[in-house]
Amino acid sequence: MIGLISATAAGARARERVAAAWPDRTRVYDGPVGDAVRRAFAECEQLVCFLATGAVVRLVAPLLTDKASDPGVVCVDEGGRFAVSLVGGHGGGANELARAVGELLGAEPVVTTATDSVSVPGLDTLGLPVEGDVAAVSRALLDGEPVVLEAEVPWPLPPLPVATSGPYAIRLTDRLAEPAAHEVVLRPPSLVVGVGASRGAPADEVLGLVEGALRDAGLSARSVAELATVDAKAGEPGIVEAAARLGVPLVTYSAEELAAVDVPNPSQAPLAAVGTPSVAEAAALVRGGELLVPKRKSAGQAGQPAMATCAVVRRPCRGRLAVVGLGPGARDLLTPRAKDELRRASVLVGLDQYVDQIRDLIRPGTRVLESGLGAEEERARTAVSEARLGRAVALIGSGDAGVYAMASPALAEASDDIDVVGVPGVTAALAAGAILGAPLGHDHVSISLSDLHTPWEVIERRVRAAAEADIVVTFYNPRSRGRDWQLPKALAILAEHREPTTPVGVVRNASRADESSRLTTLAGLDPATVDMMTVVTVGNTATREIAGRMVTPRGYRWQEEPN
Ligand code: SAH
C-alpha cells in the first residue's frame, strides 16, 4: 500500500490525482501531517508526501531503522515539478515510485542513489540474494576502482564494469562461502532439491534433511531455486512447509515423467507407493543438470524409520536472449521496456547502424558485437551461442525485430535451453501510417519487395492476392539501386484492381531527423523518388485523401453518405 500525505490545497490536488489513478494501491492519510506520516510509515510499504523535503526529513528521521525494511519515501513539491526519491531508493522502491509518480503528474523524477545516476546496476537490484560488503563494492564500481568478477557458475548477469585483478571482488557462487573483506557474494538460483517423503513426514524432518545435505556438500541454501517432487506429494504437508520455510516454490512432476529419468539410486519402495523408482533424484534431475548430492535419507525422528529423502542438483544455467525492436528511429519511440533490456544485457549484438542509434544507452561493461550489412546469419548465430554460454544477450533490430529482421533467423537457431524475451517495436508501417493519417484503418498487409531471399514469383503471387482481396498494402524494401523494376511491377498489379486515383503514401526515414512524406496516387507515384529508407502504402478502393491525410474508412454506418 502507498500512503499519501499532503498539507496544502495544491498538495491535496496532486494527492487526489495519484489516489484516483491508483485506487487499489493507495490510501490517503488525513489529519495533522506529523501524525499522518507516522501512521503511514508504520502501515505502508511506500509513502508519497506532498510536502517539502525538509519537513519530511525531520518527520521520518526518527522512524528509520533499516534500509531493507523501511518504506520507500517520495516527496512531491508544492509546484508539482519534482518527485524526489528521498529514502529507500532501492530496497523501498522509492526510485521506481518517483519515476511512476513523475510520469503521472508530469513531474521530473529526482533520483540520487549513485548506481542509478551513473548507470551501474545496484548490486542489491540484481534479483539475487547478496551477502558481504555491498556498500564498499558498490562504491568501488562507481568510482571506477578495479572490481573482479569471479563467476563459479555462469549466470546471465547485467553488465558490470569489472577488471582482471584488484582489491574488490564480486563472487557468483552457490557454494557456502563467507564473503571476504571488500567482497560481495551473489547467490544464483542454481540448485534444485528433489524431495520424497512418506505420508505424514514432519516438516522438521524434511527441512533438517535438506539443510544437512546442503551443508555437508558445502552448498548455500540461498541458491536453492526450488524443491521438486512427484505430483502425488504436491500436498504433503511436511514438504509444502519445508518449501515455504526455505522461501522457494514447490514444483511437481508426474510419476511417468520421473520414471523416465535415469538415476543412480532407484529403489522398489517408491515404485510401489507412487509409481516411479525414484522421486528425489528423478525430480531433481528431470530438467537436467549435475547431481551434487545423490539420494540420502533423513535420520528419522525418535527412533522412527526415515520418512524423507532428498537429492541436490545444480541445474544448467539458462542464458537470456532478448530480441529487441528499437522502433523507427526517434528516441521517444523506443519503448521503456526496450531500454530496460538494453541495460539488462551484458552482450549486445546488432547491425552497426542500429548500435549507433542507441550507443548512449549502453552501460559500461557491455560487450558490443556489431557487424555490417549482410552478416545476418553470423549475427543470429553469435547471439544464440552467447546466450547458450549463460549470458544475457540483446539482439537488436530497427522497427520491430521480428518484422523482416533478426528474430526469425535467431529463433530458428535457438534451442530450448535458453530463455527468449521479445520486446516489440514500432515497425515502419505503423510509424509511416501515423505520419500519413489513418491508412491502416481496415485490413492491411506488409509485403517486402526484396527478392534476395524470396523468389519474385512468390512475391508477385502475394501482391496479386492482396490486389484481388482489396487489402491495403505497405511495401517494405521497395526499391534499391540494383532492384528498380519490382516496385513499378507491383504497382501495376495493384492498378489492375484499383483506380488510378487510389491514394498512395510514401514515407522516407519515418521519425528520423530527415523524415519526409508525401501523398500521391497510384497513377502519380514516381518510383524514382522511392529508395530503401522508404515505405510505400497503397490504399484500398475505399481509401480517400481527406484534408491532406490518407484515410481508409473503418466502415462505420454513421459515416455513410446520407441519400
Ligand atoms: N524491422 C524493420 C524492417 C526491416 S526491413 C521494421 O520493423 O521496421 C527494412 C525496410 O524497412 C526498409 O527498406 C524500409 O522499407 C523500411 N523501414 C525501416 N525503417 C524505416 C523508417 N524509419 N522509415 C521508412 N521506412 C523504414
Side-chain angles (χ1 to χ4, degrees):
M1 192 52 68
I2 305 172
L4 306 177
I5 300 107
S6 64
T8 63
R13 277 196 299 275
R15 186 193 71 183
E16 286 319 313
R17 282 172 64 193
V18 175
W22 301 332
D24 303 330
R25 291 168 53 202
T26 53
R27 186 182 304 153
V28 171
Y29 285 79
D30 283 319
V33 165
D35 202 41
V37 168
R38 280 185 288 275
R39 275 187 296 133
F41 198 92
E43 293 168 11
C44 298
E45 292 81 54
Q46 295 179 317
L47 274 65
V48 181
C49 302
F50 300 87
L51 301 167
T53 50
V56 181
V57 166
R58 283 174 209 291
L59 287 168
V60 302
L63 310 174
L64 296 172
T65 52
D66 178 359
K67 74 171 180 180
S69 55
D70 286 336
V73 180
V74 168
C75 291
V76 177
D77 66 300
E78 179 77 12
R81 287 171 306 154
F82 303 105
V84 184
S85 168
L86 191 69
V87 178
H90 292 152
N95 293 351
E96 266 320 296
L97 183 61
R99 291 190 189 102
V101 168
E103 181 97 344
L104 188 62
L105 298 177
E108 179 77 21
V110 180
V111 172
T112 59
T113 41
T115 46
D116 294 83
S117 43
V118 302
S119 193
V120 173
L123 290 171
D124 51 352
T125 64
L126 301 178
L128 302 180
V130 49
E131 298 160 20
D133 201 347
V134 178
V137 176
S138 299
R139 200 167 322 112
L141 280 174
L142 291 176
D143 294 347
E145 290 191 50
V147 177
V148 181
L149 176 65
E150 297 162 21
E152 287 178 21
V153 289
W155 205 259
L157 285 174
L160 293 165
V162 290
T164 45
S165 71
Y168 297 93
I170 298 170
R171 234 169 113 188
L172 183 72
T173 181
D174 52 22
R175 289 179 196 285
L176 277 179
E178 273 304 306
H182 297 157
E183 186 180 68
V184 158
V185 175
L186 293 172
R187 298 295 185 192
S190 49
L191 305 176
V192 183
V193 183
V195 288
S198 340
R199 187 168 309 148
D204 283 337
E205 184 170 338
V206 177
L207 196 61
L209 171 69
V210 170
E211 288 178 337
L214 291 167
R215 195 172 340 100
D216 293 350
L219 297 168
S220 169
R222 301 185 80 189
S223 272
V224 174
E226 58 198 31
L227 291 196
T229 189
V230 63
D231 284 345
K233 296 293 175 185
E236 183 60 42
I239 297 182
V240 172
E241 196 185 324
R245 275 155 63 182
L246 282 167
V248 300
L250 175 65
V251 296
T252 67
Y253 301 96
S254 70
E256 208 180 354
E257 216 176 335
L258 297 187
V261 181
D262 205 10
V263 298
N265 302 294
S267 85
Q268 286 303 312
L271 185 60
V274 289
T276 163
S278 168
V279 173
E281 284 183 348
L285 279 169
V286 66
R287 293 281 177 261
E290 179 194 356
L291 186 63
L292 301 178
V293 181
K295 180 173 80 175
R296 55 147 83 186
K297 290 184 180 164
S298 55
Q301 296 204 326
Q304 299 294 308
M307 296 184 81
T309 56
C310 85
V312 184
V313 161
R314 180 180 289 135
R315 61 180 184 187
C317 163
R318 293 178 69 82
R320 190 170 194 280
L321 174 62
V323 185
V324 183
L326 302 180
R331 179 52 58 85
D332 59 355
L333 292 180
L334 174 72
T335 66
R337 191 180 297 184
K339 257 188 220 175
D340 285 347
E341 287 296 341
L342 295 176
R343 298 197 183 105
R344 172 76 184 74
S346 68
V347 182
L348 187 77
V349 183
L351 188 64
D352 41 18
Q353 70 193 67
Y354 300 151
V355 175
D356 283 339
Q357 199 175 319
I358 45 91
R359 205 174 289 279
D360 59 302
L361 295 175
I362 302 174
R363 271 186 163 154
T366 308
R367 203 146 50 87
V368 180
L369 306 175
E370 47 193 312
S371 41
L373 266 177
E376 279 81 18
E377 193 179 329
E378 182 203 321
R379 272 199 295 284
R381 291 239 159 84
T382 306
V384 171
S385 59
E386 289 286 330
R388 294 193 71 191
L389 292 172
R391 298 187 176 129
V393 181
L395 175 62
I396 60 171
S398 86
D400 184 277
V403 176
Y404 308 122
M406 291 304 294
S408 329
L411 299 195
E413 291 289 316
S415 35
D416 67 357
D417 55 356
I418 59 171
D419 292 327
V420 174
V421 179
V423 182
V426 177
T427 187
L430 299 184
I435 292 165
L436 294 168
L440 310 182
H442 215 293
D443 299 336
H444 54 276
V445 287
S446 294
I447 297 179
S448 167
L449 291 184
S450 167
D451 50 4
L452 226 53
H453 307 289
T454 310
W456 176 253
E457 300 74 64
V458 173
I459 298 173
E460 190 173 316
R461 182 151 42 90
R462 291 177 184 170
V463 175
R464 202 168 289 287
E468 285 167 2
D470 197 24
I471 298 176
V472 174
V473 184
T474 300
F475 292 116
Y476 281 67
N477 301 308
R479 184 170 177 275
S480 68
R481 221 172 297 149
R483 277 191 311 103
D484 56 4
W485 56 265
Q486 288 86 347
L487 180 63
K489 175 79 194 166
L491 294 173
I493 296 170
L494 290 172
E496 291 169 21
H497 300 265
R498 299 179 197 183
E499 296 295 327
T501 53
T502 303
V504 174
V506 179
V507 179
R508 185 169 191 275
N509 280 327
S511 95
R512 296 177 189 149
D514 47 353
E515 169 185 306
S516 64
S517 71
R518 65 187 184 285
L519 200 49
T520 172
T521 60
L522 257 184
L525 176 69
D526 175 6
T529 59
V530 172
D531 65 9
M532 280 298 276
M533 314 294 202
T534 309
V535 281
V536 176
T537 298
V538 181
N540 66 15
T541 51
T543 304
R544 296 284 171 269
E545 182 184 330
I546 298 173
R549 303 185 188 97
M550 183 171 174
V551 181
T552 300
R554 180 73 188 80
Y556 293 118
R557 287 264 169 80
W558 53 268
Q559 286 190 327
E560 273 173 18
E561 300 201 14
N563 39 34

